[in-house]
Amino acid sequence: MSSSDRILNAAVLGATGTVGQRFIVLLARHPMFRIHSLGASERSAGKVYTDATKWKMSDIMPEEVKAMVVKPCDPAHYAGCDVVFSGLDAAVAGDIEKAFFEAEFAVFSNAKNYRMVEDVPLCVPVVNTDHYQLVAHQRKSLNLQKGFIVTNSNCSTSGLVVPLKALQDKFGAISRVIVTTLQSISGAGYPGVASLDILDNIVPLISGEEPKMEAEVKKILGGINSDLSACAPLTDMRVSATCNRVAVIDGHTECVSVEFAGKPPSVEEVKQCLREYTCEAQELGCFSAPKHVIHVTDEPDRPQPRLDRNNGEGMSVTVGRIRECPVFHIKFTLLVHNTVLGAAGASILNAEYAAKKGFV
Amino acid sequence: MSSSDRILNAAVLGATGTVGQRFIVLLARHPMFRIHSLGASERSAGKVYTDATKWKMSDIMPEEVKAMVVKPCDPAHYAGCDVVFSGLDAAVAGDIEKAFFEAEFAVFSNAKNYRMVEDVPLCVPVVNTDHYQLVAHQRKSLNLQKGFIVTNSNCSTSGLVVPLKALQDKFGAISRVIVTTLQSISGAGYPGVASLDILDNIVPLISGEEPKMEAEVKKILGGINSDLSACAPLTDMRVSATCNRVAVIDGHTECVSVEFAGKPPSVEEVKQCLREYTCEAQELGCFSAPKHVIHVTDEPDRPQPRLDRNNGEGMSVTVGRIRECPVFHIKFTLLVHNTVLGAAGASILNAEYAAKKGFV
Amino acid sequence: MSSSDRILNAAVLGATGTVGQRFIVLLARHPMFRIHSLGASERSAGKVYTDATKWKMSDIMPEEVKAMVVKPCDPAHYAGCDVVFSGLDAAVAGDIEKAFFEAEFAVFSNAKNYRMVEDVPLCVPVVNTDHYQLVAHQRKSLNLQKGFIVTNSNCSTSGLVVPLKALQDKFGAISRVIVTTLQSISGAGYPGVASLDILDNIVPLISGEEPKMEAEVKKILGGINSDLSACAPLTDMRVSATCNRVAVIDGHTECVSVEFAGKPPSVEEVKQCLREYTCEAQELGCFSAPKHVIHVTDEPDRPQPRLDRNNGEGMSVTVGRIRECPVFHIKFTLLVHNTVLGAAGASILNAEYAAKKGFV
Amino acid sequence: MSSSDRILNAAVLGATGTVGQRFIVLLARHPMFRIHSLGASERSAGKVYTDATKWKMSDIMPEEVKAMVVKPCDPAHYAGCDVVFSGLDAAVAGDIEKAFFEAEFAVFSNAKNYRMVEDVPLCVPVVNTDHYQLVAHQRKSLNLQKGFIVTNSNCSTSGLVVPLKALQDKFGAISRVIVTTLQSISGAGYPGVASLDILDNIVPLISGEEPKMEAEVKKILGGINSDLSACAPLTDMRVSATCNRVAVIDGHTECVSVEFAGKPPSVEEVKQCLREYTCEAQELGCFSAPKHVIHVTDEPDRPQPRLDRNNGEGMSVTVGRIRECPVFHIKFTLLVHNTVLGAAGASILNAEYAAKKGFV
């Protein structure tokens, strides 16, 4: 029996935080996962979830977790879990996630700590599931049977790589990308951005975000080396990112200019390419894979966060304003739901994929 | 006696609109101008200003205009006015402004209609007052003695050209610019942007704004032809603009990447260059010229609209986040007060300059 | 066969407006209604819906309406419709709705025009479905067989009457109510509230809203006269409403102080009363009736619009902060989804009720 | 020489916080005070002010404080200071303020700690400067020569008492008041309200605010006992407050219904009474006293925070929508600038008054 035919027990680490809450909302209505364990810091451990958490989702807290007792983030307490989702803060994620995958758990992490490790898949599940090939090397080098870690990307990266992947597959190498983001406040967690900083205002810096984007894009759009032991990030692509925080609750908007290494496509060819893009997770029938990976809009004033962030249940990237760039070749504006495809949703689809492919 | 030593009578056309209101606020506290006449559409003409206007400024309506009777926009009613400021809508500005400058008025317009006419100065007064040399040709070709028109630029253009001018003067030609703007709602006037479009949202299109920016930058940063009869826009600079509307009341933020044609300066050289930039309007002692044309900030998360838009009373451009661009040479983020330097304030400084130089 | 067992053909008048769009979203997923016809002004009539409409819902436009041709609002074009939902502007609703009910259609209106007519039910369907008894008189006086009109209340009224009804039923007459509302922008339609009026701001007036609330509450909480020919509004209750517009997208918040005519209940008795309140539409198994008419929260800082407006799919009223009032007896804060229970949702539940009871 | 003729040296305690920053902005342009010392917590003490502070004012940081070294809040370091302004958090204000007034400093505090002490003036300086008569008793009981403490009220209280005082003086006792507030985020300091709590949202609770308002109003509008040893709060007035946090940066809006004990005035009489209200601080020519204590507006949709909060440089209360209340006698909506008259501005005017009257 393939693991994709059975219900998998899922743990959520960092369950009281905003990413953890989003994991819980998505898992509670998921046909394949059952929420088995909730882990959080020592301060929360031992409390009933409803007491440990300041719930900030607009979806009501699922009944099934209300009375669950929060556990400490120690693998000893997670016997029976098939997959472990980590919404932990980077400050603690490194040690805790290591403890879990070394204890033979399948870890799907939203934290940044292991993203750039060369045999860790940095996987946007509608883009580069081929990077799962690194798992074998990971296990071998750590002498593990079942344990491994797969990370998803930074939220703004996850939006950007989707159309770039489609374009690269169809029209060949992309030589230069300049991207400016307008990122929502939910990306900063809770309490996160102070209201005095964002009402009638913009914060033109998101600390550490720009180098993350610039590096992650090259890893995700790159390949795997020949012995499947390490990723091989793109070396000929140059990426420049500028990241801003704006007064939007959910949904990162990104304005992108793209230069192709070879003959550039026309605007119509780009539109068609993006519309036709599909991924392996769709072909496998993964539950969370969106019907359309990319939602292309021809309306001149879209995408808009409030109207488009839930396209494909938050798992689609919406691309609009596709037009010629007077400096590079093509420019467009994209929108990604930062806490769904940009965070918890990506981890969950990564886990679905892993199950379908027998990694779990 | 030079006209800069006397009080000039000023008319404001489009006085009931948002640009007109800003003109009134700025003129009411101006030592050189007295508000002499207020012009508006037929619907408002004949009414007392306070009845004709839905006042939307946070500054209280100046006492001196409250009881003024609004006039129709016909030059016949403006005898005695020395300068005419136009905050008219583009839909009507073309004919009305023409009537005024042909009637020998000095017209300072915020409308787009005449901006790209080759012998009309498109003047950001801290950047290219040398374009006033076109006035002589304008008068000659229209057979005018005193009348002329000077326009200021689109609000987002006015922020962008200021640091570009400083850089171009110091480091030579700029070959490529990619700019993404985050523009405030006041730029759209009143009622302007619907609240349902901008709360928890971004509108990724400002109709007509991108081509305007791309063209105006080249005219402003360009020169004048040898017989002083036409401007000579830059032909070797390529500019790509993407314009977004965000939930900010005043102040346009612009994220800019710049490529130089020649040897690029270092980040430190750029900072120094911007800090040291001065303009002729300052040297002439114009009242509205800011102490610092460019306010350079080293704080990593600035400029911010709410905190920095009033730098230099709204006449400075604030530039921050100056750093190397992985794709071009230098990138930075700037902020301009869109209704001051970006609109009414620029027109007024243009008029001050004109008076100092004897054009009025 | 009762009409509640079959699919009913529904028309939406004012289909391009915001209330109309909400009707369409709710009807498209409704098991009992099929969208049969869309009506709008002459300007839209004849166009395909997707061309006639600036869609502003965060739910995607339902496939089934995209290609429908919008009709003029003339009953001649609506043969085959079982129920007619009106989201028309008050400026035109009077004549059009009259034409429809006189043409023997069952009209469920969100407009204010007929609300205070004495034999027209002003029905918040979780509160006063007993007012349907007026329909017989309405038909008789107009000499109609099947046609009639039922209206729902103003959006802010619909939230207020729900807990008041529960309290009145349990603890007897309420003598005085002072209510201050904080109403969302969607209540004003599109374009509605200008962003310059509501960002970093409050508008302390909603034109006509306060007298509407004060009058509607008394009609809804009142009875029917003995010959079932007219409603009998409460005469001994005094209501004072103050209505504000705030920067919230959906959901009206209302701060309410209540004085009872007789012995006042304790805070705990109030909570229990509100928790236990049920309505006839629930008992009949109406699809849109919420599981809990009133969602009582004990969390000290709730209800909050963003977190609670979708309780009961927008058909519940959330009540929190129930406490003693130092001036009257009890005070509390309530939240109602102004475009669901406060508008389209109420009309739809009214129609469900009418079908269950054989009026349609 | 009266102390009002000389420059007074002022200290600001809590100088790095938001109230402290507002103190600094107001004092820097004040003709009577010179900023002599800045005090803050141990964490900031010893640092240069510009390094110790995350400046959040839209006014630029005054030059004169940039290089000042922040001191610990110990009276030993404040020799030479004539007045001490406290913007300290309540958590530490109790002990520190006590140390200062016992060390013979004149303390003007914005903290809540001493507000309800019976011989401490709780003074809104445009309302009840007569409470300064308590200072003599305070000094006597503490055996002080020069030291004393005067507090200003909670920010929402300060707006409410102004029109109530005017009405009470003119029309006699007020028996009942129901007030609902819509308070700005700056009232919560920095970082204060999380943006996720207030964008597209309302928080219907401000912890501790309602009882504070209800008690402070009665003390401020009350008198002093016959031997001038204690305040005599009103006992016959009942006040019910409901406090909400909304997405406004500065300015608290309050919706007020008032019942008079005796014959109620007409709406016109109320307007006239509010317009004519003056206070002793005005008569003494205090610098910060507004020209109009109450700005009465007849515009139907005012006051609005963004447009009216700076009336009287933030020291006026704006009152609009004055109308009959169907439940009580009169209702109206008021606006107060919460960090000016509601905080730092009140303390400063209190100090001006004290100087004029010889207390300093």
Side-chain angles (χ1 to χ4, degrees):
Chain A
M1 186 181 84
S2 133
S3 62
S4 72
D5 298 328
R6 55 181 173 99
I7 299 297
L8 298 174
N9 286 324
V12 177
L13 306 182
T16 59
T18 44
V19 177
Q21 291 181 26
R22 179 65 72 182
F23 269 122
I24 287 170
V25 166
L26 294 174
L27 291 171
R29 56 188 184 219
H30 200 290
M32 185 175 171
F33 299 109
R34 186 180 54 183
I35 301 175
H36 178 279
S37 296
L38 301 177
S41 67
E42 292 301 329
R43 192 165 40 81
S44 297
K47 291 186 187 164
V48 164
Y49 185 69
T50 195
D51 294 335
T53 303
K54 190 78 183 162
W55 187 256
K56 290 288 164 185
M57 298 285 113
S58 56
D59 303 76
I60 292 176
M61 187 188 289
E63 282 300 322
E64 63 201 273
V65 298
K66 284 185 178 171
M68 290 181 74
V69 176
V70 177
K71 300 177 178 179
C73 290
D74 173 344
H77 298 86
Y78 291 77
C81 284
D82 300 296
V83 296
V84 173
F85 294 107
S86 165
L88 292 167
D89 273 356
V92 300
D95 290 345
I96 293 175
E97 293 177 357
K98 185 165 189 284
F100 275 84
F101 62 70
E102 289 187 353
E104 297 287 4
F105 286 96
V107 177
F108 298 89
S109 170
N110 186 58
K112 70 178 179 188
N113 306 59
Y114 293 99
R115 282 183 193 155
M116 298 308 292
V117 175
E118 65 177 10
D119 66 354
V120 172
L122 172 59
C123 187
V124 175
V126 295
V127 170
N128 64 325
T129 43
D130 56 308
H131 286 204
Y132 270 81
Q133 296 174 86
L134 295 167
V135 168
H137 182 270
Q138 215 191 96
R139 284 175 170 163
K140 190 173 142 200
S141 70
L142 293 166
N143 200 22
L144 297 174
Q145 305 304 313
K146 294 164 49 194
F148 67 93
I149 183 167
V150 167
T151 66
N152 52 277
S153 74
N154 180 48
C155 46
S156 49
T157 305
S158 68
L160 180 58
V161 293
V162 175
L164 294 187
K165 170 68 169 175
L167 295 173
Q168 173 183 278
D169 283 359
K170 184 85 174 186
F171 306 113
I174 289 167
S175 45
R176 300 202 271 189
V177 175
I178 291 186
V179 56
T180 296
T181 70
L182 297 82
Q183 297 184 220
S184 72
I185 57 172
S186 63
Y190 183 84
V193 181
S195 55
L196 277 171
D197 284 335
I198 209 70
L199 261 181
D200 183 21
N201 208 20
I202 291 160
V203 183
L205 172 77
I206 301 177
S207 190
E209 193 87 348
E210 294 168 2
K212 260 191 284 186
M213 274 190 85
E214 292 167 2
E216 291 181 9
V217 165
K218 294 175 199 169
K219 176 168 175 178
I220 294 167
L221 295 180
I224 305 289
N225 69 6
S226 56
D227 63 356
L228 308 181
S229 66
C231 61
L234 296 177
T235 52
D236 292 341
M237 172 189 264
R238 280 151 67 193
V239 182
S240 174
T242 296
C243 296
N244 301 287
R245 189 77 71 190
V246 297
V248 167
I249 292 170
D250 285 315
H252 290 354
T253 299
E254 309 185 16
C255 302
V256 188
S257 282
V258 173
E259 183 190 68
F260 292 88
K263 181 174 176 294
S266 70
V267 166
E268 283 312 311
E269 288 168 331
V270 167
K271 287 184 182 179
Q272 187 179 352
C273 160
L274 299 182
R275 282 205 168 94
E276 293 176 351
Y277 178 75
T278 60
C279 69
E280 192 187 0
Q282 291 176 301
E283 291 152 21
L284 292 172
C286 292
F287 174 74
S288 302
K291 188 173 167 195
H292 303 288
V293 177
I294 302 173
H295 179 88
V296 177
T297 175
D298 287 321
E299 292 193 62
D301 61 351
R302 302 286 279 265
Q304 292 182 18
R306 194 167 72 78
L307 301 181
D308 293 308
R309 60 194 167 205
N310 291 321
N311 287 343
E313 306 291 314
M315 293 296 286
S316 292
V317 172
T318 303
V319 180
R321 302 211 67 217
I322 302 168
R323 60 211 195 282
E324 289 187 8
C325 176
V327 169
F328 288 161
H329 295 126
I330 291 287
K331 56 182 175 177
F332 54 82
T333 298
L334 71 84
L335 177 77
V336 60
H337 195 306
N338 56 297
T339 71
V340 185
L341 183 64
S347 273
I348 291 173
L349 183 50
N350 273 336
E352 295 172 32
Y353 178 85
K356 290 277 186 189
K357 299 289 278 191
F359 290 94
V360 175
Chain B
M1 187 179 85
S2 133
S3 62
S4 71
D5 298 328
R6 56 182 173 100
I7 299 297
L8 298 175
N9 286 324
V12 177
L13 304 182
T16 60
T18 44
V19 177
Q21 291 182 26
R22 179 65 71 181
F23 270 121
I24 288 170
V25 166
L26 294 174
L27 291 171
R29 57 188 182 216
H30 200 290
M32 183 174 172
F33 298 109
R34 185 178 55 184
I35 302 176
H36 178 278
S37 296
L38 302 176
S41 67
E42 292 300 328
R43 193 166 38 80
S44 297
K47 292 185 187 163
V48 164
Y49 185 68
T50 195
D51 294 336
T53 303
K54 189 78 182 162
W55 187 257
K56 289 289 163 183
M57 299 285 113
S58 56
D59 302 76
I60 292 175
M61 186 188 290
E63 282 300 322
E64 63 201 272
V65 298
K66 284 184 177 171
M68 288 181 74
V69 176
V70 176
K71 301 176 177 179
C73 290
D74 174 345
H77 298 86
Y78 292 76
C81 284
D82 300 295
V83 296
V84 173
F85 294 106
S86 165
L88 292 166
D89 273 356
V92 298
D95 289 346
I96 293 175
E97 293 177 356
K98 185 165 188 286
F100 274 84
F101 62 71
E102 290 188 350
E104 298 287 4
F105 286 95
V107 177
F108 298 90
S109 170
N110 186 58
K112 70 178 179 189
N113 307 59
Y114 293 99
R115 283 183 194 154
M116 298 307 292
V117 175
E118 65 177 10
D119 65 355
V120 172
L122 172 58
C123 186
V124 175
V126 294
V127 170
N128 64 325
T129 41
D130 56 308
H131 286 204
Y132 269 81
Q133 296 174 86
L134 295 166
V135 169
H137 183 269
Q138 215 191 98
R139 284 175 169 163
K140 188 172 144 202
S141 70
L142 293 165
N143 200 22
L144 297 173
Q145 304 305 312
K146 294 164 49 193
F148 67 92
I149 182 167
V150 167
T151 66
N152 52 277
S153 74
N154 181 48
C155 46
S156 48
T157 305
S158 68
L160 181 57
V161 293
V162 175
L164 294 186
K165 171 67 171 176
L167 294 173
Q168 173 183 277
D169 283 359
K170 183 85 174 187
F171 306 114
I174 290 166
S175 45
R176 299 203 274 189
V177 176
I178 291 186
V179 56
T180 296
T181 69
L182 297 82
Q183 298 185 219
S184 72
I185 56 172
S186 63
Y190 183 84
V193 181
S195 54
L196 277 170
D197 285 335
I198 209 71
L199 261 180
D200 183 21
N201 208 21
I202 290 161
V203 182
L205 173 76
I206 300 177
S207 191
E209 194 87 348
E210 294 167 2
K212 259 191 284 185
M213 274 190 85
E214 292 167 4
E216 291 181 9
V217 166
K218 294 174 199 169
K219 176 168 175 179
I220 294 168
L221 296 180
I224 305 290
N225 68 5
S226 56
D227 63 356
L228 308 181
S229 67
C231 60
L234 296 177
T235 54
D236 291 341
M237 172 189 263
R238 280 150 67 194
V239 181
S240 176
T242 296
C243 297
N244 300 286
R245 189 76 71 191
V246 297
V248 167
I249 293 171
D250 285 315
H252 291 354
T253 300
E254 310 185 16
C255 302
V256 188
S257 282
V258 173
E259 183 190 67
F260 292 87
K263 180 172 178 294
S266 70
V267 166
E268 283 311 311
E269 287 168 331
V270 168
K271 286 185 182 179
Q272 187 179 352
C273 160
L274 299 182
R275 283 204 168 94
E276 293 176 351
Y277 178 74
T278 58
C279 69
E280 192 188 0
Q282 291 177 302
E283 291 152 21
L284 292 172
C286 291
F287 174 75
S288 302
K291 188 173 167 193
H292 302 287
V293 177
I294 302 174
H295 179 89
V296 176
T297 174
D298 288 320
E299 292 192 60
D301 61 352
R302 302 287 278 267
Q304 292 182 18
R306 195 168 71 79
L307 302 181
D308 293 307
R309 61 193 167 206
N310 290 322
N311 287 343
E313 307 291 316
M315 293 296 287
S316 292
V317 172
T318 304
V319 180
R321 303 210 67 218
I322 302 168
R323 59 210 195 282
E324 289 188 8
C325 175
V327 168
F328 288 160
H329 295 128
I330 292 287
K331 56 181 173 177
F332 55 82
T333 298
L334 71 85
L335 177 77
V336 60
H337 195 306
N338 56 297
T339 72
V340 184
L341 183 63
S347 274
I348 290 172
L349 182 51
N350 273 335
E352 295 172 31
Y353 177 86
K356 291 275 187 191
K357 299 289 277 191
F359 290 94
V360 176
Chain C
M1 186 181 85
S2 133
S3 62
S4 71
D5 298 327
R6 57 184 172 97
I7 299 297
L8 298 175
N9 286 324
V12 177
L13 305 182
T16 58
T18 44
V19 177
Q21 292 182 25
R22 179 64 71 181
F23 270 122
I24 287 170
V25 166
L26 294 174
L27 290 171
R29 56 188 183 216
H30 200 291
M32 184 175 171
F33 298 108
R34 186 179 54 185
I35 300 175
H36 178 279
S37 295
L38 301 177
S41 67
E42 291 301 327
R43 193 166 38 81
S44 298
K47 292 184 188 164
V48 164
Y49 185 68
T50 196
D51 295 335
T53 303
K54 190 79 184 163
W55 187 257
K56 290 287 163 184
M57 299 285 111
S58 56
D59 302 77
I60 291 176
M61 187 189 289
E63 282 301 323
E64 64 202 271
V65 299
K66 285 185 177 170
M68 288 180 76
V69 176
V70 176
K71 300 177 178 178
C73 290
D74 174 344
H77 298 86
Y78 292 78
C81 284
D82 300 295
V83 296
V84 173
F85 294 108
S86 165
L88 293 166
D89 273 356
V92 299
D95 289 345
I96 294 175
E97 294 177 358
K98 187 166 187 284
F100 274 84
F101 63 70
E102 289 188 351
E104 298 287 4
F105 287 96
V107 176
F108 298 89
S109 170
N110 186 58
K112 71 178 180 188
N113 307 58
Y114 294 98
R115 283 182 194 156
M116 299 308 291
V117 175
E118 65 176 10
D119 66 354
V120 172
L122 172 58
C123 187
V124 176
V126 296
V127 170
N128 63 326
T129 42
D130 56 308
H131 287 204
Y132 269 81
Q133 296 174 87
L134 295 166
V135 168
H137 183 269
Q138 214 190 98
R139 283 175 170 162
K140 189 171 142 202
S141 70
L142 293 166
N143 200 21
L144 297 173
Q145 304 304 313
K146 294 164 50 194
F148 67 93
I149 182 167
V150 166
T151 66
N152 52 277
S153 74
N154 180 48
C155 46
S156 48
T157 306
S158 68
L160 180 58
V161 292
V162 175
L164 294 187
K165 171 68 169 176
L167 295 173
Q168 174 183 277
D169 283 358
K170 185 84 172 186
F171 306 113
I174 290 167
S175 44
R176 300 202 271 189
V177 176
I178 291 185
V179 56
T180 296
T181 70
L182 297 81
Q183 297 184 219
S184 72
I185 57 172
S186 63
Y190 183 84
V193 181
S195 54
L196 277 171
D197 284 335
I198 209 71
L199 262 180
D200 183 21
N201 208 21
I202 291 161
V203 182
L205 172 77
I206 301 177
S207 190
E209 194 88 348
E210 294 168 3
K212 259 191 284 186
M213 275 190 86
E214 292 167 3
E216 291 181 8
V217 166
K218 294 174 199 171
K219 176 169 175 177
I220 294 168
L221 295 180
I224 305 290
N225 68 6
S226 56
D227 63 355
L228 307 181
S229 67
C231 61
L234 295 177
T235 53
D236 292 341
M237 173 189 262
R238 279 150 69 192
V239 182
S240 175
T242 296
C243 296
N244 301 287
R245 189 76 71 191
V246 297
V248 167
I249 292 169
D250 284 317
H252 290 353
T253 300
E254 309 186 17
C255 303
V256 188
S257 282
V258 174
E259 183 191 65
F260 292 88
K263 181 174 177 294
S266 70
V267 167
E268 282 312 309
E269 288 168 331
V270 167
K271 286 185 181 177
Q272 187 178 352
C273 161
L274 299 181
R275 282 204 169 95
E276 292 175 352
Y277 178 75
T278 59
C279 69
E280 192 187 359
Q282 291 176 301
E283 290 151 22
L284 291 172
C286 292
F287 174 75
S288 301
K291 188 173 169 195
H292 302 288
V293 177
I294 302 173
H295 179 88
V296 176
T297 175
D298 287 321
E299 292 193 61
D301 62 352
R302 301 287 277 267
Q304 293 182 18
R306 196 167 71 80
L307 301 181
D308 293 308
R309 60 193 167 206
N310 290 323
N311 287 344
E313 306 292 315
M315 293 296 286
S316 292
V317 172
T318 304
V319 180
R321 303 212 65 218
I322 303 169
R323 61 210 195 281
E324 289 187 8
C325 175
V327 168
F328 288 161
H329 295 126
I330 291 288
K331 56 182 174 178
F332 54 81
T333 297
L334 71 84
L335 178 77
V336 59
H337 195 306
N338 55 297
T339 71
V340 185
L341 183 64
S347 274
I348 291 173
L349 182 51
N350 273 336
E352 296 172 31
Y353 178 85
K356 290 277 186 189
K357 298 290 278 191
F359 289 94
V360 175
Chain D
M1 186 181 86
S2 133
S3 61
S4 72
D5 298 327
R6 55 182 174 100
I7 299 298
L8 298 175
N9 286 325
V12 177
L13 305 182
T16 60
T18 44
V19 176
Q21 292 181 27
R22 179 64 72 181
F23 269 121
I24 287 169
V25 166
L26 295 174
L27 291 171
R29 57 187 182 217
H30 201 291
M32 184 174 170
F33 299 109
R34 186 178 55 185
I35 301 177
H36 178 279
S37 296
L38 302 177
S41 67
E42 292 300 330
R43 192 164 42 79
S44 297
K47 291 185 188 164
V48 163
Y49 185 69
T50 195
D51 295 335
T53 303
K54 190 79 183 163
W55 187 257
K56 289 290 163 184
M57 298 286 113
S58 57
D59 302 76
I60 292 175
M61 186 189 290
E63 282 301 322
E64 62 202 272
V65 299
K66 285 185 177 171
M68 288 180 75
V69 176
V70 177
K71 301 177 178 179
C73 290
D74 174 343
H77 298 86
Y78 292 77
C81 284
D82 300 295
V83 295
V84 173
F85 294 107
S86 165
L88 293 166
D89 273 355
V92 299
D95 289 347
I96 293 175
E97 293 177 358
K98 187 166 188 284
F100 275 83
F101 61 70
E102 288 187 352
E104 298 286 5
F105 286 96
V107 177
F108 297 89
S109 170
N110 186 57
K112 70 179 179 188
N113 306 59
Y114 294 98
R115 283 183 194 155
M116 298 308 292
V117 174
E118 65 176 11
D119 66 355
V120 172
L122 172 59
C123 186
V124 176
V126 295
V127 170
N128 63 326
T129 42
D130 56 309
H131 286 204
Y132 269 81
Q133 296 174 86
L134 295 167
V135 169
H137 183 269
Q138 216 191 97
R139 285 176 170 161
K140 189 172 142 200
S141 71
L142 292 165
N143 200 21
L144 297 174
Q145 304 304 313
K146 294 164 48 192
F148 68 93
I149 182 167
V150 167
T151 66
N152 53 277
S153 73
N154 180 49
C155 46
S156 47
T157 306
S158 68
L160 181 58
V161 293
V162 175
L164 294 186
K165 170 68 169 176
L167 295 172
Q168 173 183 276
D169 283 359
K170 184 85 173 187
F171 306 113
I174 290 166
S175 45
R176 300 203 272 189
V177 175
I178 291 186
V179 55
T180 296
T181 70
L182 298 82
Q183 297 184 220
S184 72
I185 56 172
S186 63
Y190 184 84
V193 180
S195 54
L196 278 171
D197 284 335
I198 209 70
L199 261 180
D200 183 21
N201 208 20
I202 291 160
V203 183
L205 173 77
I206 301 176
S207 191
E209 194 87 348
E210 295 168 2
K212 258 191 284 185
M213 274 190 87
E214 292 167 3
E216 291 181 9
V217 166
K218 294 174 199 170
K219 176 168 174 178
I220 294 168
L221 296 180
I224 305 289
N225 67 6
S226 56
D227 63 357
L228 308 180
S229 66
C231 61
L234 296 178
T235 53
D236 291 341
M237 173 190 261
R238 279 150 68 194
V239 182
S240 176
T242 297
C243 296
N244 301 286
R245 189 77 70 191
V246 297
V248 168
I249 292 171
D250 285 315
H252 291 353
T253 300
E254 309 186 16
C255 303
V256 188
S257 282
V258 174
E259 183 190 66
F260 292 87
K263 180 172 177 295
S266 70
V267 166
E268 283 311 311
E269 287 168 331
V270 167
K271 287 185 181 177
Q272 187 179 352
C273 160
L274 299 182
R275 282 204 168 95
E276 292 176 350
Y277 178 75
T278 59
C279 69
E280 191 187 0
Q282 291 177 302
E283 290 152 21
L284 292 171
C286 292
F287 174 75
S288 302
K291 188 173 167 195
H292 303 288
V293 177
I294 302 173
H295 179 88
V296 176
T297 175
D298 288 321
E299 291 192 61
D301 61 352
R302 303 285 279 266
Q304 294 182 17
R306 195 167 71 78
L307 302 181
D308 293 308
R309 61 193 167 206
N310 290 322
N311 288 342
E313 306 292 315
M315 293 296 286
S316 292
V317 171
T318 303
V319 180
R321 302 211 67 217
I322 302 168
R323 59 212 195 280
E324 290 187 7
C325 176
V327 168
F328 288 160
H329 295 127
I330 291 287
K331 57 181 173 178
F332 55 82
T333 298
L334 71 84
L335 177 77
V336 60
H337 195 305
N338 55 296
T339 71
V340 185
L341 183 64
S347 274
I348 290 172
L349 183 50
N350 273 335
E352 295 172 31
Y353 177 85
K356 291 275 186 190
K357 300 288 278 191
F359 291 93
V360 175

